[in-house]
mmCIF file of all heavy atoms in Angstrom:
data_model
loop_
_atom_site.group_PDB
_atom_site.id
_atom_site.type_symbol
_atom_site.label_atom_id
_atom_site.label_comp_id
_atom_site.label_asym_id
_atom_site.label_seq_id
_atom_site.Cartn_x
_atom_site.Cartn_y
_atom_site.Cartn_z
ATOM 1 N N ILE A 218 -34.843 25.510 -99.280
ATOM 2 C CA ILE A 218 -35.105 24.291 -99.945
ATOM 3 C C ILE A 218 -33.738 23.687 -100.412
ATOM 4 O O ILE A 218 -33.034 24.545 -101.048
ATOM 5 C CB ILE A 218 -35.976 24.536 -101.247
ATOM 6 C CG1 ILE A 218 -37.242 25.313 -100.913
ATOM 7 C CG2 ILE A 218 -36.379 23.219 -101.938
ATOM 8 C CD1 ILE A 218 -37.939 25.846 -102.113
ATOM 9 N N LEU A 219 -33.666 22.421 -100.465
ATOM 10 C CA LEU A 219 -32.342 21.950 -100.927
ATOM 11 C C LEU A 219 -32.676 20.904 -102.108
ATOM 12 O O LEU A 219 -33.666 20.212 -102.012
ATOM 13 C CB LEU A 219 -31.524 21.191 -99.917
ATOM 14 C CG LEU A 219 -30.662 22.062 -98.960
ATOM 15 C CD1 LEU A 219 -29.934 21.189 -97.929
ATOM 16 C CD2 LEU A 219 -29.678 22.868 -99.801
ATOM 17 N N PRO A 220 -31.843 20.778 -103.079
ATOM 18 C CA PRO A 220 -32.127 19.823 -104.193
ATOM 19 C C PRO A 220 -32.126 18.397 -103.607
ATOM 20 O O PRO A 220 -31.621 18.108 -102.503
ATOM 21 C CB PRO A 220 -30.921 20.022 -105.090
ATOM 22 C CG PRO A 220 -30.176 21.213 -104.644
ATOM 23 C CD PRO A 220 -30.549 21.551 -103.264
ATOM 24 N N LYS A 221 -32.762 17.550 -104.344
ATOM 25 C CA LYS A 221 -32.796 16.074 -103.828
ATOM 26 C C LYS A 221 -31.472 15.438 -103.730
ATOM 27 O O LYS A 221 -30.471 15.941 -104.229
ATOM 28 C CB LYS A 221 -33.709 15.271 -104.782
ATOM 29 C CG LYS A 221 -33.093 15.037 -106.127
ATOM 30 C CD LYS A 221 -34.058 14.143 -106.932
ATOM 31 C CE LYS A 221 -33.434 13.804 -108.268
ATOM 32 N NZ LYS A 221 -34.361 13.064 -109.172
ATOM 33 N N ALA A 222 -31.406 14.334 -103.056
ATOM 34 C CA ALA A 222 -30.140 13.685 -102.798
ATOM 35 C C ALA A 222 -29.360 13.404 -104.076
ATOM 36 O O ALA A 222 -30.017 13.091 -105.093
ATOM 37 C CB ALA A 222 -30.450 12.320 -102.134
ATOM 38 N N GLY A 223 -28.125 13.699 -104.054
ATOM 39 C CA GLY A 223 -27.282 13.504 -105.170
ATOM 40 C C GLY A 223 -26.033 14.363 -105.130
ATOM 41 O O GLY A 223 -25.763 15.011 -104.155
ATOM 42 N N ILE A 224 -25.191 14.382 -106.170
ATOM 43 C CA ILE A 224 -23.962 15.144 -106.150
ATOM 44 C C ILE A 224 -24.122 16.314 -107.217
ATOM 45 O O ILE A 224 -24.612 16.022 -108.335
ATOM 46 C CB ILE A 224 -22.786 14.200 -106.615
ATOM 47 C CG1 ILE A 224 -22.538 13.162 -105.502
ATOM 48 C CG2 ILE A 224 -21.507 15.076 -106.742
ATOM 49 C CD1 ILE A 224 -21.492 12.189 -105.825
ATOM 50 N N TYR A 225 -23.855 17.508 -106.799
ATOM 51 C CA TYR A 225 -23.971 18.651 -107.625
ATOM 52 C C TYR A 225 -22.652 19.389 -107.855
ATOM 53 O O TYR A 225 -21.828 19.484 -106.968
ATOM 54 C CB TYR A 225 -25.013 19.611 -106.924
ATOM 55 C CG TYR A 225 -26.305 19.051 -106.884
ATOM 56 C CD1 TYR A 225 -26.646 18.276 -105.749
ATOM 57 C CD2 TYR A 225 -27.261 19.149 -107.859
ATOM 58 C CE1 TYR A 225 -27.879 17.521 -105.629
ATOM 59 C CE2 TYR A 225 -28.531 18.510 -107.780
ATOM 60 C CZ TYR A 225 -28.823 17.758 -106.668
ATOM 61 O OH TYR A 225 -30.038 17.147 -106.627
ATOM 62 N N PHE A 226 -22.423 19.869 -109.151
ATOM 63 C CA PHE A 226 -21.410 20.774 -109.339
ATOM 64 C C PHE A 226 -21.803 22.166 -108.750
ATOM 65 O O PHE A 226 -22.915 22.603 -109.014
ATOM 66 C CB PHE A 226 -21.119 20.968 -110.881
ATOM 67 C CG PHE A 226 -20.495 19.788 -111.513
ATOM 68 C CD1 PHE A 226 -21.015 19.132 -112.653
ATOM 69 C CD2 PHE A 226 -19.288 19.312 -111.061
ATOM 70 C CE1 PHE A 226 -20.414 18.089 -113.245
ATOM 71 C CE2 PHE A 226 -18.632 18.193 -111.626
ATOM 72 C CZ PHE A 226 -19.193 17.668 -112.690
ATOM 73 N N VAL A 227 -20.897 22.737 -108.023
ATOM 74 C CA VAL A 227 -21.203 24.033 -107.388
ATOM 75 C C VAL A 227 -19.973 24.993 -107.476
ATOM 76 O O VAL A 227 -18.847 24.501 -107.745
ATOM 77 C CB VAL A 227 -21.600 23.840 -105.918
ATOM 78 C CG1 VAL A 227 -22.912 23.138 -105.773
ATOM 79 C CG2 VAL A 227 -20.494 23.171 -105.096
ATOM 80 N N LYS A 228 -20.341 26.254 -107.214
ATOM 81 C CA LYS A 228 -19.251 27.233 -106.897
ATOM 82 C C LYS A 228 -19.351 27.506 -105.484
ATOM 83 O O LYS A 228 -20.496 27.797 -104.933
ATOM 84 C CB LYS A 228 -19.420 28.527 -107.766
ATOM 85 C CG LYS A 228 -18.844 28.407 -109.162
ATOM 86 C CD LYS A 228 -18.953 29.805 -109.785
ATOM 87 C CE LYS A 228 -18.396 29.726 -111.197
ATOM 88 N NZ LYS A 228 -18.810 30.875 -111.950
ATOM 89 N N ILE A 229 -18.256 27.515 -104.747
ATOM 90 C CA ILE A 229 -18.226 27.665 -103.286
ATOM 91 C C ILE A 229 -17.418 28.924 -102.998
ATOM 92 O O ILE A 229 -16.229 29.061 -103.526
ATOM 93 C CB ILE A 229 -17.612 26.470 -102.609
ATOM 94 C CG1 ILE A 229 -18.320 25.207 -103.044
ATOM 95 C CG2 ILE A 229 -17.563 26.625 -101.149
ATOM 96 C CD1 ILE A 229 -17.718 23.872 -102.603
ATOM 97 N N SER A 230 -17.900 29.871 -102.300
ATOM 98 C CA SER A 230 -17.231 31.025 -101.915
ATOM 99 C C SER A 230 -17.206 31.365 -100.429
ATOM 100 O O SER A 230 -18.191 31.132 -99.740
ATOM 101 C CB SER A 230 -17.894 32.293 -102.703
ATOM 102 O OG SER A 230 -17.260 33.468 -102.300
ATOM 103 N N ASP A 231 -16.097 31.847 -99.963
ATOM 104 C CA ASP A 231 -15.875 32.205 -98.573
ATOM 105 C C ASP A 231 -15.955 33.754 -98.414
ATOM 106 O O ASP A 231 -15.602 34.308 -97.412
ATOM 107 C CB ASP A 231 -14.695 31.555 -97.859
ATOM 108 C CG ASP A 231 -13.375 32.059 -98.501
ATOM 109 O OD1 ASP A 231 -13.502 33.025 -99.424
ATOM 110 O OD2 ASP A 231 -12.383 31.645 -98.084
ATOM 111 N N GLY A 232 -16.247 34.458 -99.530
ATOM 112 C CA GLY A 232 -16.323 35.930 -99.561
ATOM 113 C C GLY A 232 -14.989 36.472 -100.023
ATOM 114 O O GLY A 232 -14.906 37.628 -100.486
ATOM 115 N N ARG A 233 -13.907 35.662 -99.980
ATOM 116 C CA ARG A 233 -12.640 36.102 -100.627
ATOM 117 C C ARG A 233 -12.294 35.410 -101.858
ATOM 118 O O ARG A 233 -11.892 35.956 -102.772
ATOM 119 C CB ARG A 233 -11.488 35.932 -99.513
ATOM 120 C CG ARG A 233 -11.666 36.700 -98.245
ATOM 121 C CD ARG A 233 -10.592 36.345 -97.177
ATOM 122 N NE ARG A 233 -10.631 35.006 -96.755
ATOM 123 C CZ ARG A 233 -11.420 34.534 -95.781
ATOM 124 N NH1 ARG A 233 -12.218 35.366 -95.089
ATOM 125 N NH2 ARG A 233 -11.314 33.232 -95.399
ATOM 126 N N ARG A 234 -12.552 34.102 -101.751
ATOM 127 C CA ARG A 234 -12.144 33.150 -102.954
ATOM 128 C C ARG A 234 -13.394 32.419 -103.426
ATOM 129 O O ARG A 234 -14.235 32.103 -102.562
ATOM 130 C CB ARG A 234 -11.119 32.262 -102.556
ATOM 131 C CG ARG A 234 -9.783 32.900 -102.137
ATOM 132 C CD ARG A 234 -8.745 31.806 -102.097
ATOM 133 N NE ARG A 234 -8.590 31.104 -103.402
ATOM 134 C CZ ARG A 234 -8.189 29.827 -103.571
ATOM 135 N NH1 ARG A 234 -7.821 29.193 -102.433
ATOM 136 N NH2 ARG A 234 -8.102 29.276 -104.649
ATOM 137 N N THR A 235 -13.448 32.182 -104.669
ATOM 138 C CA THR A 235 -14.471 31.241 -105.194
ATOM 139 C C THR A 235 -13.844 30.132 -105.955
ATOM 140 O O THR A 235 -12.964 30.295 -106.751
ATOM 141 C CB THR A 235 -15.433 32.021 -106.101
ATOM 142 O OG1 THR A 235 -15.975 33.130 -105.479
ATOM 143 C CG2 THR A 235 -16.572 31.224 -106.619
ATOM 144 N N VAL A 236 -14.272 28.898 -105.588
ATOM 145 C CA VAL A 236 -13.715 27.707 -106.254
ATOM 146 C C VAL A 236 -14.815 26.845 -106.756
ATOM 147 O O VAL A 236 -15.987 26.890 -106.327
ATOM 148 C CB VAL A 236 -12.833 26.885 -105.309
ATOM 149 C CG1 VAL A 236 -11.585 27.642 -104.783
ATOM 150 C CG2 VAL A 236 -13.618 26.300 -104.152
ATOM 151 N N GLN A 237 -14.487 25.977 -107.769
ATOM 152 C CA GLN A 237 -15.515 24.964 -108.237
ATOM 153 C C GLN A 237 -15.345 23.857 -107.328
ATOM 154 O O GLN A 237 -14.316 23.417 -106.949
ATOM 155 C CB GLN A 237 -15.135 24.612 -109.629
ATOM 156 C CG GLN A 237 -15.142 25.677 -110.633
ATOM 157 C CD GLN A 237 -16.304 25.525 -111.560
ATOM 158 O OE1 GLN A 237 -17.151 24.720 -111.467
ATOM 159 N NE2 GLN A 237 -16.136 26.290 -112.747
ATOM 160 N N GLY A 238 -16.494 23.186 -106.971
ATOM 161 C CA GLY A 238 -16.503 22.060 -106.159
ATOM 162 C C GLY A 238 -17.678 21.179 -106.228
ATOM 163 O O GLY A 238 -18.435 21.269 -107.383
ATOM 164 N N GLU A 239 -17.929 20.386 -105.305
ATOM 165 C CA GLU A 239 -19.141 19.563 -105.287
ATOM 166 C C GLU A 239 -19.898 19.690 -104.011
ATOM 167 O O GLU A 239 -19.332 19.967 -102.913
ATOM 168 C CB GLU A 239 -18.708 18.029 -105.445
ATOM 169 C CG GLU A 239 -18.224 17.705 -106.703
ATOM 170 C CD GLU A 239 -17.667 16.230 -106.713
ATOM 171 O OE1 GLU A 239 -17.781 15.489 -105.717
ATOM 172 O OE2 GLU A 239 -17.194 15.834 -107.794
ATOM 173 N N PHE A 240 -21.252 19.493 -104.165
ATOM 174 C CA PHE A 240 -22.087 19.547 -102.973
ATOM 175 C C PHE A 240 -22.680 18.111 -102.932
ATOM 176 O O PHE A 240 -23.308 17.718 -103.949
ATOM 177 C CB PHE A 240 -23.211 20.591 -103.138
ATOM 178 C CG PHE A 240 -24.106 20.733 -101.916
ATOM 179 C CD1 PHE A 240 -23.809 21.664 -100.892
ATOM 180 C CD2 PHE A 240 -25.224 19.962 -101.750
ATOM 181 C CE1 PHE A 240 -24.569 21.752 -99.746
ATOM 182 C CE2 PHE A 240 -26.000 20.117 -100.571
ATOM 183 C CZ PHE A 240 -25.737 20.971 -99.614
ATOM 184 N N HIS A 241 -22.481 17.432 -101.899
ATOM 185 C CA HIS A 241 -23.158 16.099 -101.761
ATOM 186 C C HIS A 241 -24.364 16.191 -100.858
ATOM 187 O O HIS A 241 -24.195 16.370 -99.715
ATOM 188 C CB HIS A 241 -22.082 15.152 -101.148
ATOM 189 C CG HIS A 241 -20.810 14.978 -101.966
ATOM 190 N ND1 HIS A 241 -19.924 13.950 -101.801
ATOM 191 C CD2 HIS A 241 -20.381 15.646 -103.033
ATOM 192 C CE1 HIS A 241 -19.027 13.968 -102.695
ATOM 193 N NE2 HIS A 241 -19.219 15.049 -103.497
ATOM 194 N N ARG A 242 -25.422 15.964 -101.423
ATOM 195 C CA ARG A 242 -26.702 16.107 -100.736
ATOM 196 C C ARG A 242 -27.111 14.680 -100.378
ATOM 197 O O ARG A 242 -27.379 13.838 -101.181
ATOM 198 C CB ARG A 242 -27.728 16.789 -101.735
ATOM 199 C CG ARG A 242 -29.097 16.701 -101.212
ATOM 200 C CD ARG A 242 -29.390 17.696 -100.114
ATOM 201 N NE ARG A 242 -30.871 17.836 -99.926
ATOM 202 C CZ ARG A 242 -31.457 17.599 -98.789
ATOM 203 N NH1 ARG A 242 -30.789 17.200 -97.684
ATOM 204 N NH2 ARG A 242 -32.765 17.657 -98.622
ATOM 205 N N TYR A 243 -27.273 14.468 -99.113
ATOM 206 C CA TYR A 243 -27.698 13.149 -98.562
ATOM 207 C C TYR A 243 -29.028 13.235 -98.009
ATOM 208 O O TYR A 243 -29.461 14.313 -97.494
ATOM 209 C CB TYR A 243 -26.738 12.634 -97.460
ATOM 210 C CG TYR A 243 -25.313 12.407 -97.985
ATOM 211 C CD1 TYR A 243 -24.281 13.246 -97.729
ATOM 212 C CD2 TYR A 243 -25.060 11.348 -98.753
ATOM 213 C CE1 TYR A 243 -23.049 13.035 -98.193
ATOM 214 C CE2 TYR A 243 -23.813 11.056 -99.253
ATOM 215 C CZ TYR A 243 -22.788 11.924 -98.906
ATOM 216 O OH TYR A 243 -21.479 11.737 -99.430
ATOM 217 N N ALA A 244 -29.838 12.148 -98.107
ATOM 218 C CA ALA A 244 -31.156 12.246 -97.508
ATOM 219 C C ALA A 244 -31.177 11.903 -95.977
ATOM 220 O O ALA A 244 -31.887 12.538 -95.268
ATOM 221 C CB ALA A 244 -32.046 11.129 -98.140
ATOM 222 N N GLU A 245 -30.184 11.177 -95.526
ATOM 223 C CA GLU A 245 -30.243 10.742 -94.105
ATOM 224 C C GLU A 245 -29.021 11.033 -93.324
ATOM 225 O O GLU A 245 -28.894 10.651 -92.179
ATOM 226 C CB GLU A 245 -30.479 9.222 -94.054
ATOM 227 C CG GLU A 245 -32.016 8.885 -94.022
ATOM 228 C CD GLU A 245 -32.318 7.785 -94.962
ATOM 229 O OE1 GLU A 245 -31.431 6.985 -95.221
ATOM 230 O OE2 GLU A 245 -33.489 7.747 -95.381
ATOM 231 N N LYS A 246 -28.055 11.869 -93.905
ATOM 232 C CA LYS A 246 -26.931 12.258 -93.077
ATOM 233 C C LYS A 246 -26.581 13.774 -93.395
ATOM 234 O O LYS A 246 -27.108 14.269 -94.379
ATOM 235 C CB LYS A 246 -25.756 11.299 -93.031
ATOM 236 C CG LYS A 246 -25.130 11.113 -94.412
ATOM 237 C CD LYS A 246 -23.837 10.387 -94.255
ATOM 238 C CE LYS A 246 -23.057 10.422 -95.620
ATOM 239 N NZ LYS A 246 -21.634 9.974 -95.459
ATOM 240 N N ASP A 247 -25.627 14.300 -92.681
ATOM 241 C CA ASP A 247 -25.241 15.631 -92.976
ATOM 242 C C ASP A 247 -24.771 15.819 -94.342
ATOM 243 O O ASP A 247 -24.056 14.926 -94.917
ATOM 244 C CB ASP A 247 -24.036 16.120 -92.025
ATOM 245 C CG ASP A 247 -24.568 16.254 -90.583
ATOM 246 O OD1 ASP A 247 -25.839 16.396 -90.339
ATOM 247 O OD2 ASP A 247 -23.797 16.360 -89.661
#
Side-chain angles (χ1 to χ4, degrees):
I218 307 168
L219 279 178
K221 70 176 181 186
I224 297 178
Y225 296 87
F226 284 127
V227 293
K228 275 188 182 163
I229 304 170
S230 173
D231 63 3
R233 298 177 297 274
R234 296 192 57 206
T235 302
V236 299
Q237 298 248 15
E239 289 175 2
F240 185 92
H241 297 196
R242 166 79 166 120
Y243 295 105
E245 269 134 28
K246 62 170 190 165
D247 287 347

